[in-house]
Amino acid sequence: MPSQSVLVIGGGLAGMSCAVALAESGLRVRLFEKKPHLGGRATLYTLPDGSEVDNCQHLTLGCCTNLADFFHRVGADKKIRTYDRMYLMDGRGARGTMKSGILPPPLHMAPSMMFFGALSTADKRGISRALMTIARSGGSPPGIEGVTMLQWLERMRQTPAAIAKFWRVVLVSALDEELDRAEARYGIDVFWKTFLANREGSLIGLPSVPLAELYRGCAESIAQQGGEVKLRAGVREVHVQNGHFAGAVMEDGSDENADACVAAVPYDALPPLLPKAMSEDGGPLAGLRSLRTSPITSVHLWYDRPVMESPYLALIDYTSQWIFNKTRLYQGQARNGDIPSAQKNENSQYLQIVISASYDLVQRSRQEIVDLCCAELAKVLPKTRTAKLLKSTVIKEVRATFSPMPGVDRFRPAQESGIANLYFAGDFTRTGWPSTMEGAVRSGYLAAEALLASFGRPRKFLQPDLPLEGLSKRWAKRSGRL
């Protein structure tokens, strides 16, 4: 009996994870991606001179269990470097290092926070009180539904400095949204899963290769199972007949048929593929009209000499939020960032600055943004004052992620479309997570599970969260959250 076949439309993390899971389950998978490379929003960007860079620095955390599982399945885990601490610097030059200590969770991060000079005693006392409220409730304090993270922090009597120098530093990067626009539940979940529940939740994982190289094992894995990955293969339309998936039409006009389909394209690209009724009031995609987006800006700088030693640095009180030392992250690899051939220098250094929720930068010119970031680097990295800037570029992703605004979950569709043998995958679907790589992989696994169950071949792919440890485990049990 021939294996059942599946079309997966979209080669981002949602589509790749779903395709790999289905291929491992014995289905014949064909993955179509309209771009010339896999990765979706987490991949390379080609500059006008032909050189390539990652569109934006992406990282994973220890609490991202499904992303870790996917990387392991395709061999990408060997290309991830793990760091156990977070380096910070504020506008006055105060440096800090957040890392896990010997105390049991949720107290394991407390010693490093207590010695961070950017925070006053009053700031730290308020932060500790709020963190303990999260921990003692098992990650779900009462009264957080429908309120913003900023409203909840004000309710917890956080000082303005604590909000700006602690909560905002972590959450704007994690959620790609400002605190007065993000739902409290998502922000609290970040702190619970990353810093409080398990000491490994805050481990930082950074690719040691360009993102396009990170996904090579995905295509190989699918091919080894008898499937195929087709690049530069856009889909124009998905046919639905009598409430069932009935094939797809490619952009070149050819038809593709299969027993089932998973549409894993961005949420704004999904409605044009499907019958109009699915996006009208009462349809499964009607809520997509209410989603809002948040921008991310990445600034790429190449200097003629080393100007930074640490692999990364989180900034406080600056427009620039994170600086990534790409030269050090790629150390030992074939590439060291793309530098014009006439200016290659073994001592050169490639830095990338990432600014999440970058609303104020959307309308500014790229040169203005470069000048702003270079001025800030001169304050935190003094060696940049005398170094020569060889090359720079700015990548603006105006619609980088969907905004985790209060009540957003009611607008997110399920993986089941309501159409037989048609499923959705994407971080915008109901995953319980915001718009992250972890959320994308979760959606891919959930779509694969739903499809396999409909074929009478149930299998579980979704990974559990890290196990609770120490006092966090005890308090979660006491609060009925475990």
Side-chain angles (χ1 to χ4, degrees), residues 304-323:
D304 68 342
R305 67 194 72 174
V307 296
M308 179 178 179
E309 296 181 3
S310 60
Y312 49 85
L313 180 64
L315 300 183
I316 304 170
D317 301 325
Y318 291 96
T319 297
S320 304
Q321 295 166 358
W322 283 82
I323 310 171

Side-chain angles (χ1 to χ4, degrees), residues 15-30:
M16 287 190 292
S17 58
C18 184
V20 168
L22 293 174
E24 289 182 0
S25 300
L27 275 62
R28 185 163 55 88
V29 175
R30 284 172 288 163

Side-chain angles (χ1 to χ4, degrees), residues 110-144:
S112 61
M113 187 184 77
M114 289 298 104
F115 287 103
F116 185 31
L119 299 171
S120 70
T121 300
D123 299 332
K124 295 171 184 176
R125 187 182 299 117
I127 291 169
S128 298
R129 183 174 59 249
L131 291 176
M132 289 300 286
T133 297
I134 296 173
R136 288 182 180 278
S137 67
S140 298
I144 61 174

Side-chain angles (χ1 to χ4, degrees), residues 362-383:
V362 170
Q363 299 302 323
R364 301 185 70 169
S365 72
R366 284 168 169 75
Q367 189 58 52
E368 286 180 305
I369 296 171
V370 169
D371 291 343
L372 170 64
C373 291
C374 286
E376 293 185 339
L377 287 189
K379 297 177 181 179
V380 299
L381 300 176
K383 291 182 180 180

Side-chain angles (χ1 to χ4, degrees), residues 9 17 45 72 109 114 120 249 363 383 401 447 469 481:
I9 305 171
S17 58
Y45 182 88
H72 177 71
M109 304 292 288
M114 289 298 104
S120 70
V249 180
Q363 299 302 323
K383 291 182 180 180
T401 67
E469 296 179 334
R481 302 294 181 180

Side-chain angles (χ1 to χ4, degrees), residues 181-258:
R181 303 184 188 189
E183 183 170 333
R185 180 177 64 83
Y186 283 116
I188 288 168
D189 220 30
V190 168
F191 276 90
W192 170 242
K193 293 179 178 179
T194 305
F195 298 109
L196 300 173
N198 182 296
R199 66 175 62 252
E200 293 186 1
S202 60
L203 293 177
I204 296 173
L206 291 165
S208 62
V209 297
L211 289 174
E213 296 181 26
L214 193 63
Y215 309 129
R216 285 183 177 175
C218 175
E220 296 171 0
S221 176
I222 293 171
Q224 289 171 359
Q225 303 293 335
E228 62 180 329
V229 174
K230 292 187 176 182
L231 303 177
R232 296 186 175 89
V235 174
R236 180 195 304 166
E237 184 180 0
V238 173
H239 284 314
V240 174
Q241 293 181 357
N242 300 322
H244 289 71
F245 164 70
V249 180
M250 306 300 292
E251 288 183 345
D252 63 8
S254 62
D255 293 320
E256 293 288 346
N257 296 303

Side-chain angles (χ1 to χ4, degrees), residues 5-84:
S5 62
V6 179
L7 304 182
V8 177
I9 305 171
L13 280 165
M16 287 190 292
S17 58
C18 184
V20 168
L22 293 174
E24 289 182 0
S25 300
L27 275 62
R28 185 163 55 88
V29 175
R30 284 172 288 163
L31 172 62
F32 296 107
E33 169 54 51
K34 67 184 301 181
K35 295 179 182 178
H37 43 73
L38 295 174
R41 287 170 289 157
T43 188
L44 61 83
Y45 182 88
T46 303
L47 301 178
D49 64 4
S51 59
E52 296 175 342
V53 296
D54 291 347
N55 64 330
C56 181
Q57 179 64 59
H58 289 74
L59 59 82
T60 182
L61 295 168
C63 60
C64 297
T65 55
N66 287 275
L67 182 60
D69 179 77
F70 169 69
F71 282 161
H72 177 71
R73 289 178 188 273
V74 299
D77 55 336
K78 302 177 182 65
K79 304 172 184 177
I80 301 292
R81 288 191 172 136
T82 302
Y83 300 87
D84 64 356

